Amino acid sequence: MTLSGLHVPLITPFAPDGTVDLPALERLAADVLDAGASGVVALGTTGEPSSLTPAERASVLTVLADVCRDAQLIVGANDAGALRAAPASATAALTLVPPFVRPGADGVVAHLTALAAESPVPLVIYHVPYRTAQPLTADAVRRLAAIPGVAGMKLAVGGIDADTITLMADPPAGFAILGGDDAFISPLLALGAHGGILASAHLATAEYAALTRAWEPALGHRLARLSAALFAEPNPTVIKGVLYAQGRIATPDVRLPLLPAAPESVRAALDQAGQGWSVSTGAV
């Protein structure tokens, strides 16, 4: 199995009473799939999973497993317990490189080898060194790609660095490289990435899906401006503000430690989203 195309890491919408708005979540998932996404990510960092109770996380997985019966479902899971809780129908688990402790490449390989051996689904490793503080060379990524049960990587290194170019010049066979830095997805696709896991694709889903299927530079440049506006404040605060302004979710609420996006950031993103982009079932 080689993952490809667009996967949308879904927000967790909250109702006015503070509970998880499961009907809104179901609608958002259906919207992005109808617009051409290959699948969704449940309980990724965009979904604020650390702020959810175990019961809330379980309800999110139940809803999205049902919506994704004919689509790919990737589940955010960083330990053995979370991996075992993944629905049987899940395509893969998105598993973070160990954050903060900086175990080195050998420690990362050993840790993910152990998790892959316990996981009932393949792993997609989430490499985001500006959050984890753990860099990995291209050779280290190739070692990870050789682990049985590892299907690919969400690559989000904050740009296109030398290791990315080295990796993309000779990518591991059968290993899906999915871009995870929304503003840099176009150049990464140009280098040969298989697709992207892109929070920005809550908006302009059809265009992001088209870009991941067939890279086109002018479209990539326009979507980079939209992504920059949507990530002007901590993710997913601006995305939630825009979805709320469009009437697609009941509140723009996030849970601590996040705070709602400033109105001017939401307005700027709405300006970008209003420039002829389609969203889910219609036009902005």
Side-chain angles (χ1 to χ4, degrees):
M1 174 199 66
T2 299
L3 295 163
S4 63
L6 171 67
H7 294 78
V8 182
L10 290 172
I11 65 160
T12 301
F14 299 123
D17 65 0
T19 60
V20 175
D21 190 342
L22 294 174
L25 177 66
E26 183 177 14
R27 288 193 299 272
L28 287 173
D31 283 350
V32 299
L33 294 174
D34 288 345
S38 300
V40 302
V41 179
L43 303 179
T45 51
T46 300
E48 304 172 70
S50 63
S51 76
L52 304 180
T53 67
E56 288 173 329
R57 291 194 290 270
S59 65
V60 165
L61 292 178
T62 297
V63 166
L64 294 181
D66 186 59
V67 177
C68 292
R69 279 179 286 187
D70 296 315
Q72 294 179 349
L73 174 63
I74 301 175
V75 176
N78 297 315
D79 57 46
L83 288 166
R84 287 192 293 268
S89 60
T91 308
L94 183 62
T95 303
L96 189 64
V97 168
F100 188 75
V101 293
R102 302 175 68 181
D106 290 346
V108 171
V109 171
H111 172 74
L112 291 169
T113 298
L115 281 184
E118 293 190 57
S119 177
V121 297
L123 303 187
V124 174
I125 297 165
Y126 186 8
H127 178 36
V128 55
Y130 53 85
R131 292 181 184 269
T132 64
Q134 177 58 68
L136 294 172
T137 65
D139 285 342
V141 173
R142 292 193 179 96
R143 291 173 63 192
L144 294 172
I147 297 171
V150 169
M153 172 172 281
K154 178 181 178 181
L155 186 63
V157 299
I160 306 296
D161 62 8
D163 277 306
T164 297
I165 293 171
T166 300
L167 176 68
M168 298 308 300
D170 184 23
F175 182 72
I177 298 173
L178 304 174
D181 282 312
D182 296 36
F184 297 103
I185 188 59
S186 181
L188 193 58
L189 289 166
L191 289 170
H194 298 88
I197 297 177
L198 306 173
S200 299
H202 284 83
L203 289 302
T205 309
E207 285 77 12
Y208 280 103
L211 185 69
T212 61
R213 289 192 297 268
W215 176 73
E216 196 280 315
L219 178 58
H221 296 158
R222 293 174 65 202
L223 287 170
R225 291 194 293 271
L226 175 58
S227 292
L230 292 170
F231 277 77
E233 296 194 35
N235 184 50
T237 60
V238 180
I239 292 172
K240 282 192 164 185
V242 172
L243 292 173
Y244 173 68
Q246 293 177 335
R248 298 175 66 195
I249 57 177
T251 74
D253 296 349
V254 291
R255 290 182 179 174
L256 292 172
L258 295 175
L259 297 173
E264 55 268 28
S265 296
V266 175
R267 284 195 296 270
L270 278 166
D271 287 343
Q272 288 292 332
Q275 295 179 9
W277 299 116
S278 66
V279 292
S280 57
T281 58
V284 178

